[in-house]
Amino acid sequence: MSDLEETCASLRAQIAATETQLAGLKRELARAQEAAVAKSNNAKVSDSNEHAQPTPESRWPLLQEEYKRYGRQMIVSQVGLEGQLKLRAAKVLLVGAGGLGCPAAQYLAGAGVGTLGLIDGDTVEVSNLHRQVLHRSRNVGKYKVDSAIETLRELNPHPTYIAHRTHLTPGEAPTIFAQYDLILDCTDNPATRYLISDTAVLLGKPLVSASALRTEGQLMVLNNPPRPPGDKEGGPCYRCVFPKPPPADSVVSCADGGILGPVVGTMGVLQALEAIKIITAGSGQGHDTGATVRESPLLHIFSAYSNPLFRTIRIRSRRTNCSVCSADATVTLDTITSGSTDYVFFCGSAHPPSLLAPDERISAREYHDKYPPSVLRPQGPSNQASTSRGHTIIDVRDKVQFGICSLEESINIPISNILASPSMEETPSWVPAELAASEYNDPIYVVCRLGNDSQLAVQRMKDLGLDRHGQRYIGDIRGGLRAWREQVDHEWPEY
């Protein structure tokens, strides 16, 4: 039996190594293919530009094909021919080619924006495809910006598409932003949001910012009109609205919190709409050509399961003590590029440190070897502890995730219930009777999706006295169910 186990372990290791090598080869192939396509496309664009642009002798400022392509929006009173020409001359940068960036880029390209830049250092994953609408299954493993531009060129070959295959960094942000007229923040983490806003303000670029998580989204137009720091007539920046970042441990990503595709798609489409409004402002017959009335900045909140779907809140103008757009600003392009403005430090670590001691944690493999399961059950939540195996395994994911997959004999107690328990002598209502019994001291193991919530749960359970002053072991499975898939069961659902 031991020989068979060694053979299985060896085969698993070989499979893992081969999969890693295959992924690397796919990335190299994607880069080579994209380089070949880019070279071919550049040649085609160069040839087409020689023949496709209106000649100096032409009576019309647009190509005949462009009149047909954009005609339905040019006859909208707020756009007209003047607005279409502004769109063709505009240069827009989208930071992020994911759930927000894809629909935003799709509609901006369709509208005829002359230059679209996309910056993103990630590659396409299968888990992206349900919401990141520019990507295709065949492009899994490609850079997102390359995958997106491939689809955008099929939609509209007229714009110039620029790929920035990198994550935005303070050292590169000013140089990249300087090439564009308008910035769209399509990212999903606070540190990058502050970097984008600071750079946009200091370079005089309007900014359209959006976010989405689960079933809700937010949208703001910032630094509009763009004015130098100290000019009170300028629009507020991200720091004006959120002077302090949220606690690092409260930030939830789409991977952890989930997201409905149409929700993030709605916010991305609205970003494109706001960008078009900014670019075409004052065009056509839909605006007063006299003195411009300065509009109050607004925060639009979308909630898919609320009625009404949208709420709008007026936000304050520029703060007099803002560190980037006030007269006493301390954030400058020099502090950004030099690293003196530390965004990671300002927002806190995105990767929480280990909260438990080594002896309070066990690996997925160690747990499996110590308590080998017989059957992995896919059914929904349980609330009864089982002591038949000499221990209890508590899964602290929410009920929805627990219903997707769970370990044998695990019981579901959501982390929210555990953290909400007040410190008191009475046993919390969520504790199963078997665990509360005085004669029961078998160990308790806690598991979650990634191994972060489980640590918080262990700490809280000990604070509540469930370890009986050290008489009962309480620990977590390090790395959570992701580690279970990697170390124990390669067929475990990955979501």
Side-chain angles (χ1 to χ4, degrees):
M1 190 66 179
S2 60
D3 291 340
L4 287 175
E5 290 178 349
E6 289 180 4
T7 300
C8 291
S10 175
L11 289 172
R12 289 194 196 98
Q14 292 180 51
I15 291 172
T18 303
E19 288 177 342
T20 301
Q21 183 182 16
L22 179 60
L25 291 173
K26 284 183 177 179
R27 286 193 294 270
E28 291 181 14
L29 175 61
R31 294 191 192 104
Q33 288 177 330
E34 183 56 33
V37 170
K39 184 176 180 180
S40 174
N41 286 338
N42 287 338
K44 291 178 181 178
V45 169
S46 177
D47 291 341
S48 63
N49 286 342
E50 292 180 3
H51 304 288
Q53 295 298 324
T55 62
E57 297 80 15
S58 175
R59 297 170 54 195
W60 312 108
L62 295 176
L63 299 171
Q64 286 298 317
E65 198 271 343
E66 289 180 296
Y67 282 102
K68 291 182 180 179
R69 181 182 288 268
Y70 309 127
R72 297 298 185 274
Q73 72 187 29
M74 281 196 290
I75 61 177
V76 173
S77 61
Q78 290 87 349
V79 180
L81 176 60
E82 180 185 359
Q84 192 61 52
L85 292 173
K86 287 181 178 180
L87 287 168
R88 191 170 70 169
K91 298 179 179 180
V92 179
L93 175 67
L94 296 92
V95 186
L100 292 167
C102 282
Q106 192 166 19
Y107 275 96
L108 291 175
V113 170
T115 300
L116 278 177
L118 290 88
I119 177 169
D120 199 314
D122 289 338
T123 56
V124 179
E125 300 178 0
V126 172
S127 61
N128 303 147
L129 300 178
H130 84 106
R131 67 191 184 281
Q132 299 180 14
V133 293
L134 289 178
H135 307 311
R136 303 291 180 263
S137 296
R138 66 175 181 271
N139 286 344
V140 169
K142 270 191 177 182
Y143 277 107
K144 286 186 178 180
V145 290
D146 294 333
S147 171
I149 289 174
E150 177 183 310
T151 305
L152 293 173
R153 282 201 177 105
E154 293 177 357
L155 171 67
N156 190 351
H158 293 289
T160 298
Y161 301 104
I162 301 175
H164 302 276
R165 303 175 187 88
T166 181
H167 295 291
L168 188 67
T169 64
E172 296 177 334
T175 301
I176 295 175
F177 280 28
Q179 305 171 42
Y180 298 91
D181 308 313
L182 173 65
I183 312 298
L184 271 64
D185 180 354
C186 305
T187 61
D188 61 358
N189 72 86
T192 306
R193 290 189 181 281
Y194 283 102
L195 168 61
I196 292 170
S197 175
D198 293 352
T199 307
V201 169
L202 295 171
L203 290 175
K205 314 291 183 181
L207 171 64
V208 183
S209 177
S211 62
L213 182 67
R214 299 189 177 100
T215 63
E216 299 182 346
Q218 295 183 357
L219 174 76
M220 296 180 293
V221 177
L222 302 170
N223 196 40
N224 187 46
R227 297 289 186 268
D231 189 334
K232 296 180 180 179
E233 295 302 312
C237 70
Y238 195 78
R239 288 182 188 267
C240 293
V241 184
F242 303 108
K244 295 182 179 180
D249 58 3
S250 71
V251 177
V252 180
S253 67
C254 290
D256 294 331
I259 183 69
L260 280 183
V263 171
V264 70
T266 297
M267 305 318 296
V269 170
L270 289 176
Q271 281 186 282
L273 175 60
E274 292 296 335
I276 291 172
K277 287 164 60 179
I278 292 171
I279 295 168
T280 61
S283 301
Q285 303 301 314
H287 297 272
D288 184 0
T289 56
T292 301
V293 178
R294 184 170 179 267
E295 297 181 353
S296 299
L298 304 171
L299 169 63
H300 303 285
I301 301 174
F302 173 76
S303 182
Y305 286 87
S306 294
N307 188 14
L309 293 174
F310 285 94
R311 291 183 295 127
T312 298
I313 300 172
R314 292 189 183 278
I315 56 180
R316 63 178 299 162
S317 56
R318 285 187 169 183
R319 289 179 177 267
T320 56
N321 62 345
C322 178
S323 60
V324 69
C325 68
S326 71
D328 300 320
T330 56
V331 176
T332 66
L333 290 177
D334 287 339
T335 66
I336 292 175
T337 55
S338 67
S340 299
T341 302
D342 191 331
Y343 292 95
V344 174
F345 177 79
F346 177 65
C347 295
S349 174
H351 304 286
S354 177
L355 303 176
L356 303 179
D359 61 356
E360 295 177 289
R361 315 197 73 187
I362 187 173
S363 72
R365 169 57 63 183
E366 290 169 336
Y367 175 83
H368 174 271
D369 292 345
K370 192 171 185 178
Y371 306 104
S374 56
V375 179
L376 298 179
R377 60 182 178 83
Q379 63 265 28
S382 166
N383 56 11
Q384 298 296 322
S386 172
T387 61
S388 61
R389 294 171 56 198
H391 76 289
T392 296
I393 176 72
I394 296 176
D395 189 324
V396 297
R397 295 173 298 159
D398 60 41
K399 291 183 178 180
V400 173
Q401 295 189 55
F402 188 77
I404 296 173
C405 55
S406 60
L407 296 177
E408 179 189 8
E409 295 187 5
S410 62
I411 61 174
N412 182 219
I413 305 176
I415 182 70
S416 57
N417 293 355
I418 296 175
L419 297 182
S421 300
S423 297
M424 57 177 63
E425 294 183 0
E426 292 184 11
T427 302
S429 59
W430 52 261
V431 177
E434 292 84 351
L435 298 187
S438 59
E439 68 276 7
Y440 179 73
N441 276 328
D442 285 346
I444 299 173
Y445 296 93
V446 182
V447 68
C448 65
R449 188 181 178 197
L450 302 175
N452 297 324
D453 285 349
S454 58
Q455 296 185 69
L456 296 172
V458 169
Q459 285 188 328
R460 187 61 180 151
M461 291 169 71
K462 289 187 174 183
D463 291 341
L464 294 170
L466 294 179
D467 65 337
R468 296 176 181 165
H469 306 289
Q471 296 182 33
R472 170 193 285 165
Y473 176 84
I474 303 180
D476 86 321
I477 296 180
R478 188 170 55 249
L481 294 173
R482 177 176 291 180
W484 183 270
R485 171 182 169 83
E486 294 171 352
Q487 300 174 21
V488 178
D489 183 2
H490 298 299
E491 295 183 359
W492 186 264
E494 181 178 15
Y495 64 94

